[in-house]
Amino acid sequence: MSAHLIDGTALSRQIRAEVGQRAAALSARGVTPGLAVILVGDDPASAVYVRNKVKACAEHGLHSHLERHPATLPETELLARIRLLNDDPSIHGILVQMPLPRHIRPQRVIETIATTKDVDGYSVQSAGDLMAGLPGFRPCTPYGCIKLIEATGQPMAGKHAVVIGRSNTVGKPMALLLLQANATVTVCHSGTPDIGRHSRMADIVVVAVGRRNLLSADMVKPGAIVIDVGMNRNDEGKLCGDVDFAGVAPLAGWITPVPGGVGPMTITMLLVNTLESAERAAANLTSTAHTITST
Ligand code: NAP
């Protein structure tokens, strides 16, 4: 293999250590960052994701509040729970684990979360902030991908980046973040004929489709940075990405493995978003206190 491996586990560990230090400093000032996680139903994969998020909070000085509800929970009750958490000053981030049961409208749920606590960055307000280049929560997976690209030490400015996949949670925000970093961005999707024609010209390729071996060696420019977001199972049932890793690694410049690439970064950026939300809340408290004492 000639490509440098971008180690998401190691980068994640480093960022989480910084989160731990900042969370401790904030706690010493009386504000412990808090994440509320809501799980509706009994999807086993969702239960694992939720458990990992709660565990990550506990390990890095954040407190978490986990709510489990039956799949029959009416939408109105879920929205009422979210509104209570919106008003709870000990909670700085609210995450509702997707997918939700069919009778609950996900966008309705997302839009009920206070903008100041939308640590998943899925609301229309957060998406609009990203599009307008304003500060706000960035969706965790593409935010993590940007950190992985930064870890290569290669500038993104002036580079040609190709994003394959255009979901609202990964592909589209990924493209906007790359644009913000001054890359020239092409977005491919299921309606793009001959994706290789675009990806072969790319200095950076981010693949977020959910299809094994979608990106093969003949679709990659030698020396390119390849970020594999996909999560699939191979014939042996093992986790694999969207990239033909064995074929692409010998010619790429940098590549993320699956597992151990993008995966660990997603929860890490959730911790970062929650911590930064708590830091903002603490700063607002301080300025409010200052205003009260000075009036
Ligand atoms: P998604 O909502 O299903 O979107 C998939 C995208 O891929 C769509 O935009 C779709 O195009 C496009 N697509 C489908 N078939 C294609 C093809 N043959 N050629 C080109 N594009 C094609 O999925 P997602 O939520 O973005 O997730 C994508 C993958 O990343 C999944 O494997 C998911 O499990 C994984 N993921 C991993 C993490 C992590 O933390 N590691 C986090 C999130 C997601 P259209 O829009 O035209 O339908």
Side-chain angles (χ1 to χ4, degrees):
M1 190 184 93
S2 65
H4 300 282
L5 209 60
I6 314 174
D7 185 344
T9 307
L11 180 61
S12 208
R13 204 178 296 126
Q14 188 189 321
I15 296 174
R16 287 184 191 203
E18 289 163 24
V19 166
Q21 284 166 9
R22 280 164 63 183
L26 204 57
S27 291
R29 290 168 47 204
V31 179
T32 301
L35 175 70
V37 182
I38 303 180
L39 176 63
V40 185
D42 45 21
D43 176 56
S46 294
V48 172
Y49 294 144
V50 160
R51 205 165 46 237
N52 289 342
K53 287 166 187 171
V54 167
K55 185 167 168 267
C57 284
E59 287 171 353
H60 299 92
L62 284 74
H63 79 86
S64 61
H65 165 86
L66 172 61
E67 285 190 18
R68 291 169 182 270
H69 297 284
T72 51
L73 181 78
E75 184 185 88
T76 46
E77 280 187 34
L78 176 58
L79 301 186
R81 287 301 312 153
I82 293 171
R83 288 190 190 103
L84 282 177
L85 293 165
N86 283 345
D87 293 337
D88 182 342
S90 76
I91 294 298
H92 306 97
I94 302 171
L95 180 152
V96 179
Q97 186 64 46
M98 301 290 163
L100 287 164
R102 290 171 69 87
H103 67 279
I104 299 178
R105 291 164 289 180
Q107 203 58 36
R108 189 84 203 278
V109 169
I110 290 165
E111 297 310 327
T112 302
I113 297 172
T115 308
T116 51
K117 300 189 180 186
D118 174 32
V119 285
D120 255 341
Y122 289 170
S123 68
V124 169
Q125 174 76 50
S126 296
D129 286 340
L130 173 59
M131 210 191 107
L134 296 170
F137 294 111
R138 304 318 189 207
C140 302
T141 299
Y143 191 10
C145 293
I146 288 290
K147 295 287 171 197
L148 290 163
I149 298 169
E150 283 173 359
T152 66
Q154 301 300 303
M156 283 175 263
K159 297 291 169 66
H160 181 203
V162 167
V163 179
I164 312 177
R166 59 171 168 183
S167 68
N168 287 342
T169 50
V170 187
K172 282 182 200 156
M174 186 74 236
L176 289 168
L177 286 168
L178 286 161
L179 207 52
Q180 210 166 65
N182 285 328
T184 301
V185 184
T186 301
V187 182
C188 301
H189 47 81
S190 64
T192 307
D194 193 2
I195 290 174
R197 187 163 68 85
H198 304 280
S199 60
R200 270 191 293 277
M201 292 192 296
D203 305 300
I204 301 166
V205 187
V206 181
V207 198
V209 170
R211 187 176 290 204
R212 270 169 70 185
N213 297 332
L214 185 113
L215 192 81
S216 48
D218 60 321
M219 297 167 76
V220 176
K221 177 163 109 174
I225 298 172
V226 178
I227 306 291
D228 191 352
V229 183
M231 283 199 313
N232 312 292
R233 296 274 164 196
N234 66 16
D235 292 338
E236 290 81 49
K238 286 195 178 139
L239 194 63
C240 67
D242 288 349
V243 176
D244 167 19
F245 187 86
V248 172
L251 76 146
W254 290 265
I255 190 167
T256 56
V258 179
V262 175
M265 293 298 291
T266 297
I267 293 185
T268 298
M269 302 324 290
L270 175 70
L271 298 180
V272 169
N273 278 348
T274 307
L275 170 75
E276 291 184 351
S277 175
E279 287 175 339
R280 275 194 292 278
N284 285 343
L285 271 181
T286 311
S287 66
T288 311
H290 179 73
T291 312
I292 291 167
T293 31
S294 56
T295 48

